[in-house]
Amino acid sequence: MKTEEKINFGHKDLLGIENLTPGEIMQLLDAAVAFKGVLTRDVKKVPTLRGRTVVNLFYENSTRTRTSFELAARRLSAEVLNFDVATSSVKKGEVLYDTVETIEALGADYIVLRNGNSGSPHFLARSVKASVINAGDGLHEHPTQALLDAFTIRESLGDLKGLHVALIGDILHSRVARSNIFLLTKLGVKVTLIGPPTLVPDDFRPLGVRICHTLREGLRDVDVIYLLRIQMERQQTNLFPSLEEYRTLYGINTERLKWAKPDAIVMHPGPVNLGVEISRDVMTMPQAKILQQVTNGVAVRMAVFYLLQGVREQNAKIART
Ligand code: NCD
């Protein structure tokens, strides 16, 4: 693929799903199909980002997301720098903006940011020339996760429009849930949120979703069962009695799988609390697409870099004329 191709994607940064149009989302998903093809080839590398530098700046622990971004950038021939916050001056009290200014002075073209403060990538994007990609900001958004989820659903079940997805669990503390709700509702997918009222409050209703507090009722006619981890580290107070109680009421096992449509698929962004939101036997069933999600993450992140690079090149051309 060549970046000279006509690109309608209109953003310098990828900050969230909320500000994307359905057309832009489809363009990202379609580009990811081509990159998935690249990843199955013998030589899995293309020159799209040759000579560019990608900096991974992660303020929260992450294995799969950081590795996935790193691999995506390397497959596009970029130089990748992992900025280890634990050993950096951040520990000495340097603030986010100064850290990023330093990174930019070193010549970064892309900054992939994971930070506990909602809105931090938006703040940065306004003040740096580099393209900022949000890899999770507090409880707000995690756009590349929602894109790779949509890609996986489309790959497994075909066209998204008209499908019914249930998001189950800790919706309140989940940036993954928020990005998925924005994306799925924009593309005409019916969304049901399932969980206890403390984790699935009525405040979500204006986003165009159905809310259900019982698993059996919520799973009726569902094509995709999307499980979320209980985010113990993000809970300020105890919002439910125990993990055991959660498993009893909302855990997915082979019996409960039957409450959804017969060919329903099971997804999870990871990390999984095995035996809490999902039983071990469901994890290994062919309907479980959890590893496929991880594989697709690389192709989808390549597509994100590719479209942003197209915008950067167009902007540079306009600046020259
Ligand atoms: C998610 C995250 O960090 O928001 N995980 C991920 O990106 N793989 C979900 C989670 O932490 O449970």
Side-chain angles (χ1 to χ4, degrees):
M1 257 189 297
K2 293 214 163 41
T3 36
E4 292 87 51
E5 271 172 39
K6 177 132 185 59
I7 285 172
N8 302 313
F9 189 82
H11 307 269
K12 164 189 153 266
D13 313 280
L14 181 72
L15 302 176
I17 299 293
E18 193 176 11
N19 66 336
L20 298 184
T21 64
E24 287 171 331
I25 295 169
M26 292 310 288
Q27 203 174 7
L28 280 161
L29 298 181
D30 290 342
V33 175
F35 284 114
K36 181 134 190 201
V38 170
L39 295 176
T40 55
R41 293 197 319 221
D42 210 18
V43 178
K44 300 179 178 58
K45 220 166 179 167
V46 287
T48 314
L49 292 188
R50 192 159 45 203
R52 320 280 168 186
T53 305
V54 174
V55 174
N56 278 325
L57 180 58
F58 277 61
Y59 286 78
E60 286 180 2
N61 291 339
S62 156
T63 331
R64 74 184 77 202
T65 306
R66 197 191 54 72
T67 319
S68 180
F69 269 109
E70 179 168 355
L71 201 55
R74 286 190 194 283
R75 298 283 193 233
L76 295 169
S77 310
E79 311 263 357
V80 184
L81 234 137
N82 290 312
F83 204 86
D84 190 350
V85 173
T87 56
S88 75
S89 301
V90 172
K91 286 272 167 210
K92 299 177 190 162
E94 191 175 80
V95 295
L96 177 64
Y97 181 72
D98 293 328
T99 306
V100 171
E101 227 183 9
T102 309
I103 291 173
E104 212 181 22
L106 292 171
D109 300 289
Y110 292 88
I111 296 168
V112 179
L113 178 72
R114 172 167 287 195
N115 188 280
N117 295 314
S118 303
S120 46
H122 305 68
F123 160 73
L124 277 187
R126 281 194 294 271
S127 26
V128 297
K129 284 198 197 69
S131 288
V132 177
I133 301 176
N134 182 3
D137 64 325
L139 306 183
H140 182 224
E141 280 225 45
H142 190 350
T144 55
Q145 180 67 46
L147 288 164
L148 76 90
D149 293 334
F151 183 90
T152 308
I153 297 172
R154 198 169 70 156
E155 196 174 57
S156 307
L157 301 174
D159 199 7
L160 291 168
K161 199 170 176 214
L163 290 177
H164 185 180
V165 175
L167 302 173
I168 306 171
D170 193 351
I171 311 289
L172 184 63
H173 297 92
S174 176
R175 53 197 175 203
V176 172
R178 227 167 296 261
S179 287
N180 263 299
I181 292 169
F182 289 135
L183 190 152
L184 295 169
T185 52
K186 276 177 201 275
L187 294 189
V189 176
K190 185 175 167 190
V191 178
T192 296
L193 308 180
I194 308 175
T198 44
L199 299 179
V200 187
D202 276 344
D203 310 3
F204 281 89
R205 243 184 259 279
L207 298 179
V209 297
R210 185 171 79 106
I211 290 180
C212 237
H213 300 303
T214 55
L215 188 62
R216 186 174 206 137
E217 191 196 335
L219 286 183
R220 204 181 313 127
D221 291 327
V222 157
D223 300 285
V224 179
I225 303 174
Y226 194 102
L227 305 170
L228 294 162
R229 184 173 67 88
I230 296 291
Q231 311 228 346
M232 295 306 267
E233 77 279 18
R234 298 209 184 127
Q235 301 213 10
Q236 315 292 319
T237 50
N238 284 338
L239 295 173
F240 57 92
S242 68
L243 288 179
E244 176 56 29
E245 167 116 359
Y246 183 84
R247 186 182 63 78
T248 311
L249 290 173
Y250 299 104
I252 290 290
N253 54 33
T254 42
E255 272 313 298
R256 291 169 174 189
L257 212 51
K258 295 180 190 144
W259 294 343
K261 280 194 185 163
D263 54 353
I265 59 169
V266 179
M267 297 172 66
H268 195 305
V272 171
N273 288 321
L274 203 57
V276 181
E277 65 263 14
I278 185 168
S279 68
R280 193 175 291 274
D281 45 1
V282 172
M283 272 295 276
T284 54
M285 289 172 79
Q287 290 99 306
K289 303 295 177 194
I290 299 162
L291 289 178
Q292 201 172 314
Q293 286 171 270
V294 178
T295 306
N296 290 339
V298 179
V300 165
R301 291 178 173 115
M302 287 171 85
V304 169
F305 282 122
Y306 165 75
L307 287 185
L308 292 179
Q309 182 59 24
V311 175
R312 292 179 70 78
E313 285 174 20
Q314 271 175 7
N315 289 347
K317 212 183 276 172
I318 293 165
R320 279 198 298 272
T321 54

